[in-house]
Amino acid sequence: MNKRSQDGEKRKGDVQLQFQVITDTHVKADPGHSYNCNLARALEDIKRMAPDSDGIMHAGDLTDQGSTEEYAEFRRIWREHGAGLPVSYFAAGNHDVGLGHWPSRLGAYLDATGMRGPYHDHWVNGYHFIFLGTEEGLELFASLSETQLTWLDTKLTESKNPVQPAFVFLHQPLKDTVAGSYESQRWYGVAQDEALKKVLAKHRHAILFTGHTHWELEAQHTMFDGQKQLPYMFNGSSVAYLWTDKDEHKDGSQGLFVEVYADRVIVRGRDFAAGKWLENVRFECNIPEQSE
């Protein structure tokens, strides 16, 4: 990866920001479970491949059932394999907070991650990172209140540069966008699908990253280009295990590496299990001006 200029000036050809997107780690209470080992290996791979990373963004389903034991194991893995890693932020997935007693499960997620609530935002090196999250403990879907949608609309106006991307994270994808979200595939999942699309359509400088589907990055539709109406959207696959276009389970562990330049964003797929780049998973995004 390119380095920033040695004199500290951010030149057009330099990387302005770099971060990783992981999702669906599904940590179990058993320390030896393959999902837990996959997360430890992914963190070590990120340290090795991106020592200058600015952050790790998790798109939800940190744990498999949201239990106290699972969160303790999640914290152990992050503590033992996260030394030297950059700042990390987390979205809540349905496995973290869905079903069961909503307030207590949300509380366990907040205690484990240190996040401020079901939705929150952060600035990293001058770039805006916005995390959305369900406000009900639904089994599969996310439910976003009118207050949250208005908050998102407001937050997406805060960038002073009309072509500087804002990065948005939500566990569940919007319908008919990225891999796994098509109606026949059944893994879309936002109760307010049209309302969220209406907000995002006003802010095409955003880039949305989602999880939930586990669809492998080599499948069709890892990136949704927005069709000149919506922002770019990306499926983040899964660290725990994968799913295919044949609607079948597949062992594996994948995630995204993101490089931000002054005039474009490059997203690359990483195979954590093999410790290799996915050669055919590389996307380049040119951010449209907000007024377009």
Side-chain angles (χ1 to χ4, degrees):
M1 293 186 179
N2 295 339
K3 302 287 186 179
R4 293 183 179 87
S5 300
Q6 291 183 357
D7 61 4
E9 180 185 354
K10 293 181 179 178
R11 305 183 191 280
K12 188 174 181 179
D14 289 339
V15 175
Q16 314 283 299
L17 180 82
Q18 56 179 300
F19 63 93
Q20 289 70 46
V21 180
I22 62 173
T23 187
D24 294 86
T25 48
H26 288 275
V27 166
K28 298 271 197 177
D30 173 13
H33 196 281
S34 62
Y35 299 170
N36 301 34
C37 296
N38 283 351
L39 174 57
R41 179 171 51 198
L43 295 178
E44 294 292 344
D45 188 75
I46 291 170
K47 282 196 291 188
R48 183 172 61 253
M49 299 305 300
D52 297 324
S53 173
D54 294 298
I56 299 174
M57 312 301 158
H58 196 305
D61 278 1
L62 290 66
T63 61
D64 201 52
Q65 299 297 325
S67 70
T68 301
E69 295 78 11
E70 289 175 345
Y71 277 120
E73 180 61 13
F74 180 84
R75 290 194 299 269
R76 179 197 67 79
I77 295 169
W78 213 273
R79 182 176 64 251
E80 293 183 3
H81 298 275
L85 286 174
V87 65
S88 303
Y89 297 114
F90 305 90
N94 58 296
H95 278 256
D96 300 314
V97 298
L99 295 179
H101 299 287
W102 159 249
S104 63
R105 291 193 69 176
L106 175 62
Y109 154 78
L110 297 177
D111 288 344
T113 62
M115 301 297 100
R116 299 189 295 266
Y119 54 97
H120 45 90
D121 72 312
H122 315 269
W123 288 85
V124 179
N125 286 357
Y127 286 83
H128 208 172
F129 288 77
I130 302 170
F131 289 76
L132 307 178
T134 186
E135 295 173 78
E136 295 183 64
L138 304 181
E139 181 178 2
L140 292 174
F141 272 46
S143 179
L144 313 182
S145 67
E146 185 68 29
T147 299
Q148 182 174 174
L149 292 170
T150 300
W151 174 86
L152 172 64
D153 192 15
T154 300
K155 289 294 177 181
L156 285 171
T157 67
E158 290 183 3
S159 174
K160 304 247 185 333
N161 182 344
V163 292
Q164 178 169 300
F167 303 103
V168 183
F169 301 84
L170 173 63
H171 182 63
Q172 293 91 339
L174 289 158
K175 187 176 180 181
D176 294 332
T177 57
V178 297
S181 74
Y182 287 81
E183 188 164 10
S184 62
Q185 297 170 321
R186 304 183 307 280
W187 285 98
Y188 53 91
V190 181
Q192 297 77 20
D193 188 274
E194 289 302 320
L196 179 53
K197 284 175 178 172
K198 186 175 180 179
V199 173
L200 291 172
K202 297 164 58 178
H203 305 285
R204 290 182 55 220
H205 67 295
I207 299 179
L208 176 65
F209 294 92
T210 59
H212 193 53
T213 75
H214 288 245
W215 246 253
E216 62 181 342
L217 296 176
E218 301 94 331
Q220 297 184 62
H221 311 301
T222 286
M223 183 188 78
F224 172 71
D225 68 5
Q227 299 176 348
K228 297 185 178 180
Q229 297 180 5
L230 291 164
Y232 288 103
M233 301 181 191
F234 284 92
N235 158 49
S237 192
S238 168
V239 169
Y241 64 91
L242 309 178
W243 211 257
T244 74
D245 276 339
K246 295 181 179 180
D247 200 20
E248 295 176 344
H249 174 277
K250 178 179 178 180
D251 290 337
S253 181
Q254 297 178 345
L256 300 173
F257 280 57
V258 182
E259 294 179 340
V260 183
Y261 296 83
D263 58 348
R264 66 198 188 282
V265 176
I266 294 176
V267 179
R268 302 176 67 190
R270 183 75 179 167
D271 182 337
F272 293 126
K276 295 180 179 179
W277 296 110
L278 296 168
E279 294 184 5
N280 296 323
V281 183
R282 182 187 184 280
F283 305 95
E284 189 163 321
C285 307
N286 296 302
I287 307 302
E289 292 198 23
Q290 296 180 50
S291 60
E292 285 187 16

